[in-house]
Amino acid sequence: MEPSSATAKPKATEADLDQSLDKTQVGKGALGSLTNPETYDNLPGYIIPILEHEFDDFDGEADLFLDGTTPEDQFIGFRLKQGVYGQRQPGVQMCRIKLPVGGVTPEQMEMLGEVVEHFAPLGKGHITTRQNIQIHHVPLKQMAELIRQISSVGLSSREGCGNTVRNVTGDPYAGVAIDESFDPTSHAIAYVRYFVRHPTTQLMPRKIKTAFSCSDADRAIIGIHDIGFIPRIRDGVRGFEIRVGGGTSIMPRVAPTLTEFATADDGEYLKWTEAALRIFDRQDWLRVNRARARIKVLVDKVGIEEFRRMVDRELEGDWVDERDFSIEHLRYDLDEELTAPAPPLEASSPNGDRSSFEAFCADNVTAQRQPGFNAVEVKITRGDLSPEQFRGLGAIMREFCGGAARTTVDQNLVLRWVRDEALYALYAALRDLDLADPGANTINDVVSCPGTDSCKLGITASMGLNRALQERVESMAITDPLTRAIHLKMSGCPNGCSQHHIGSIGFYGASLKVNGNQMPAYIPHIGGDARDGKVVFGTRLKSRLPAKRVPDAVERWLRMYEAERADDSEDFIAFSSRVGTKRFEEEIRDLAIPAEFNLENLLQFIDWNRRDPFKVERGEGECAV
């Protein structure tokens, strides 16, 4: 079993760490000063302040790099802070557009359709597992124009990459969930605004990923984040339990609790976070090996008790009195219910497709805590949307949702504030966009990263495997409820951008060598889970499956589960724990044997959605630059 929590017993103390204890770490300065020029408006979608001079800076720096004046290693750090990331294809970049807590407006969806149409050669934008929108294959010369265009509707890529506080994710049902303690959206946005452009968080040892949940169900999965918040109420006072040091990739850890309660409305949760990030920023020993330079490594090295003591001591520093942690000027308090659509004059109803509509409602529709309204999750295959779909969804949001929608960690889109009477009309509008598939958050809703389609670190074509697995699962016509609840996730490398560690069945890309020839392959994980507030990392099997045989392996495991489970109530996670990994390995032992390299087996040496023989070609990723 892979490690699932930070080590309880400290392995080191603060005195043992190689730290820059005399490092200057300043705050933003007074609001409106030269070091803090942002202004904050409670306008729909305008979360991250837009600074016009940054576009001119990007233009200038890009020109200096392109004419050879600025070395590439200097320019990389600059463009990463603007959310511009290098790809495996030379001469083009990816733009990572941040959607704080996944929120997006109709105008922003329409703008995304525009820039995808004009700048993305493949004609698609991609929703990530961290609720961003990524646009790929954009020439550097065009990037400044792209980020200028998106800024006109409040979209920003600022600090979408680099060793910064990355996009802050959240529960897409926050504010409408029946089980929430309170809606943390405005506090999450205050957090975004506090840390964007913060001097201490511009060049940390590595990136910081943050998530805000709204209930103990933890649909934002704070356990796999560097910093996570879950609402708590004590004696009528709102606050957060703060967890720190979670993550996946090569050293998966579940974040332990830093403090049980930091008050929310006075900004104490910001103070606790900055203290933790100041400590992280001073760890020189983490900068030596940037591939492992995450805050989870620090927490794991000293243990959570010692790290808590370090934070307590940090909170006694003079810097605390120099900061303004109040959040009144940072809050974002738009009331979505005020803009919710009025009841339609006539309720819509299905005619000849009632069964399809009912299947859609069963899988994709959740009643809100506000009577008469629903949240509708749109299943977006592989997270990809065309320009026409972006625009169509913008129009749907305007008509049926009062403009309110949020992306999800499963690469979908949740439409909020849909009236009961409008559900069928919404379904029909989605059907016209080819976006009315049932199966959101079921086995048909396969999650993957872009893999070798664009990523320098990719080993395999995970998007191609996604397509093959979805086709296989759909061909099986699965109706068993427990089998349909299985989640399939795959990454193109061990780094885990698809969160394969928490998939019921997860895979990461690898390779096999057969008589000097390379074959694309995947390493399976079985039994991962992230439901009902718990995080369990799947167990890695001692098998390396040829990529073209993965769908066969998944089908065998599904049939094995249905045939051998203890009873009709034993879910896949319980089953996999009971039978153990060897049973899963035995079931696919013959599939794990590589085929000989010859004409008959040539397709097994070509990755999914590819034409040329497979070859591992990994560049240097920029996540740790």
Side-chain angles (χ1 to χ4, degrees):
M1 196 74 176
E2 294 196 35
S4 60
S5 61
T7 307
K9 184 177 180 181
K11 299 176 183 177
T13 66
E14 183 176 13
D16 299 319
L17 303 176
D18 179 17
Q19 303 183 80
S20 295
L21 295 176
D22 58 349
K23 184 173 185 176
T24 301
Q25 295 171 304
V26 298
K28 279 186 168 181
L31 188 65
S33 67
L34 289 175
T35 59
N36 188 4
E38 293 114 332
T39 58
Y40 308 101
D41 298 311
N42 268 356
L43 297 173
Y46 284 73
I47 307 302
I48 299 172
I50 306 296
L51 302 184
E52 291 291 336
H53 72 81
E54 291 182 344
F55 304 138
D56 297 330
D57 291 345
F58 190 92
D59 261 339
E61 291 294 332
D63 287 343
L64 290 173
F65 166 68
L66 290 170
D67 70 17
T69 304
T70 301
E72 184 174 17
D73 58 345
Q74 293 182 23
F75 179 64
I76 287 175
F78 174 83
R79 66 169 164 77
L80 287 174
K81 289 180 186 177
Q82 296 298 341
V84 179
Y85 196 90
Q87 292 188 195
R88 68 191 297 121
Q89 296 84 3
V92 293
Q93 320 286 325
M94 174 265 284
C95 183
R96 181 176 290 141
I97 301 168
K98 297 169 81 172
L99 301 182
V101 297
V104 64
T105 69
E107 293 76 19
Q108 290 172 342
M109 291 294 281
E110 290 162 349
M111 175 57 71
L112 289 166
E114 289 295 309
V115 295
V116 166
E117 186 168 71
H118 286 96
F119 297 105
L122 298 183
K124 64 179 184 179
H126 178 70
I127 301 174
T128 76
T129 56
R130 300 217 68 257
Q131 298 177 288
N132 298 292
I133 300 290
Q134 292 183 174
I135 300 176
H136 294 90
H137 306 285
V138 181
L140 183 60
K141 270 284 190 183
Q142 298 179 13
M143 192 61 77
E145 184 183 351
L146 188 159
I147 59 179
R148 268 196 177 91
Q149 284 194 26
I150 62 173
S151 74
S152 67
V153 292
L155 288 170
S156 175
S157 59
R158 175 73 198 194
E159 292 162 48
C161 309
N163 302 316
T164 60
V165 175
R166 297 288 188 85
N167 188 45
V168 176
T169 60
D171 184 340
Y173 294 88
V176 301
I178 293 172
D179 61 353
E180 71 183 6
S181 303
F182 64 86
D183 181 2
T185 300
S186 63
H187 299 88
I189 289 172
Y191 178 102
V192 171
R193 290 171 165 175
Y194 185 84
F195 284 109
V196 72
R197 302 187 181 90
H198 193 295
T200 299
T201 63
Q202 296 306 292
L203 196 58
M204 295 178 287
R206 279 293 299 277
K207 58 193 171 188
I208 289 291
K209 296 180 178 179
T210 309
F212 281 77
S213 275
C214 72
S215 75
D216 285 331
D218 190 19
R219 287 173 289 267
I221 323 177
I222 65 173
I224 62 170
H225 284 77
D226 299 291
I227 306 282
F229 299 87
I230 194 158
R232 300 282 181 245
I233 297 177
R234 286 187 179 177
D235 300 323
V237 176
R238 300 192 295 184
F240 293 104
E241 177 185 340
I242 304 178
R243 299 179 189 171
V244 62
T248 56
S249 192
I250 59 174
M251 195 184 89
R253 292 290 184 272
V254 177
T257 297
L258 174 62
T259 179
E260 297 284 353
F261 193 79
T263 49
D265 295 332
D266 61 356
E268 185 182 35
Y269 71 105
L270 298 178
K271 180 168 65 175
W272 275 81
T273 303
E274 184 169 355
L277 296 185
R278 285 169 60 88
I279 293 167
F280 176 54
D281 182 51
R282 294 199 298 260
Q283 306 307 308
D284 287 344
W285 61 279
L286 285 177
R287 299 178 190 275
V288 175
N289 181 358
R290 304 295 288 278
R292 296 176 63 87
R294 300 296 293 270
I295 198 170
K296 66 183 178 183
V297 178
L298 168 60
V299 174
D300 192 64
K301 185 178 181 68
V302 302
I304 189 59
E305 294 295 337
E306 176 68 4
F307 187 73
R308 190 178 296 119
R309 284 190 286 269
M310 293 168 68
V311 170
D312 286 341
R313 287 191 289 271
E314 190 70 19
L315 289 170
E316 296 172 357
D318 293 340
W319 67 274
V320 174
D321 294 330
E322 299 167 1
R323 302 286 191 273
D324 177 10
F325 296 108
S326 64
I327 66 170
E328 288 308 309
H329 65 295
L330 299 172
R331 292 176 64 99
Y332 179 83
D333 290 321
L334 291 179
D335 188 343
E336 289 184 358
E337 191 164 7
L338 290 177
T339 60
L345 296 177
E346 186 176 340
S348 58
S349 61
N351 294 318
D353 56 355
R354 178 173 293 277
S355 61
S356 299
F357 173 59
E358 289 177 348
F360 174 83
C361 289
D363 288 341
N364 299 33
V365 177
T366 302
Q368 295 185 186
R369 62 179 174 84
Q370 296 86 0
F373 290 100
N374 302 274
V376 178
E377 186 157 351
V378 182
K379 178 176 170 286
I380 298 174
T381 302
R382 288 176 289 282
D384 289 342
L385 290 170
S386 69
E388 295 76 19
Q389 289 172 323
F390 274 115
R391 296 189 190 103
L393 285 168
I396 284 172
M397 290 163 57
R398 197 174 279 114
E399 180 178 357
F400 295 99
C401 314
R406 299 190 188 185
T407 56
T408 81
V409 296
D410 287 318
Q411 302 175 303
N412 291 331
L413 183 74
V414 173
L415 305 173
R416 298 149 60 96
W417 301 99
V418 179
R419 291 273 184 182
D420 291 342
E421 304 91 333
L423 278 172
Y424 180 72
L426 170 66
Y427 168 76
L430 290 171
R431 187 181 55 202
D432 290 342
L433 292 173
D434 197 23
L435 290 173
D437 288 346
N441 295 309
T442 70
I443 194 168
N444 295 65
D445 198 0
V446 184
V447 174
S448 64
C449 69
T452 53
D453 283 9
S454 59
C455 181
K456 288 183 178 182
L457 290 173
I459 298 173
T460 53
S462 46
M463 293 287 265
L465 177 59
N466 180 313
R467 183 187 300 272
L469 268 180
Q470 182 161 337
E471 290 174 353
R472 176 62 63 90
V473 167
E474 289 174 351
S475 73
M476 293 173 67
I478 296 168
T479 58
D480 179 80
L482 292 180
T483 307
R484 292 187 78 242
I486 290 170
H487 289 169
L488 303 176
K489 300 175 184 285
M490 64 225 56
S491 302
C493 78
N495 287 337
C497 292
S498 77
Q499 302 171 350
H500 65 265
H501 299 80
I502 57 173
S504 313
I505 302 175
F507 299 94
Y508 72 82
S511 64
L512 286 164
K513 206 142 198 185
V514 183
N515 296 329
N517 299 286
Q518 294 181 332
M519 175 184 283
Y522 284 88
I523 295 175
H525 288 64
I526 297 292
D529 196 12
R531 299 169 301 171
D532 302 323
K534 63 181 178 182
V535 173
V536 177
F537 294 126
T539 303
R540 187 173 59 222
L541 300 190
K542 296 176 182 177
S543 302
R544 191 171 289 227
L545 279 164
K548 291 295 179 68
R549 296 178 183 169
V550 170
D552 292 335
V554 169
E555 181 169 357
R556 286 192 191 183
W557 285 331
L558 298 180
R559 296 311 187 200
M560 179 185 84
Y561 161 63
E562 291 179 337
E564 299 180 11
R565 62 191 181 196
D567 52 49
D568 289 340
S569 66
E570 185 177 43
D571 68 16
F572 185 82
I573 308 305
F575 170 78
S576 62
S577 178
R578 177 174 63 82
V579 304
T581 56
K582 287 187 177 180
R583 178 68 189 91
F584 282 86
E585 291 164 355
E586 289 168 1
E587 190 67 20
I588 50 95
R589 191 173 303 281
D590 60 314
L591 296 178
I593 299 173
E596 292 185 11
F597 182 77
N598 54 42
L599 286 176
E600 184 180 342
N601 298 321
L602 187 59
L603 288 179
Q604 294 203 38
F605 292 83
I606 300 174
D607 209 347
W608 292 104
N609 288 7
R610 298 292 185 267
R611 296 179 180 178
D612 299 322
F614 174 76
K615 182 180 179 181
V616 175
E617 294 179 325
R618 297 190 88 191
E620 183 178 352
E622 296 179 353
C623 292
V625 172

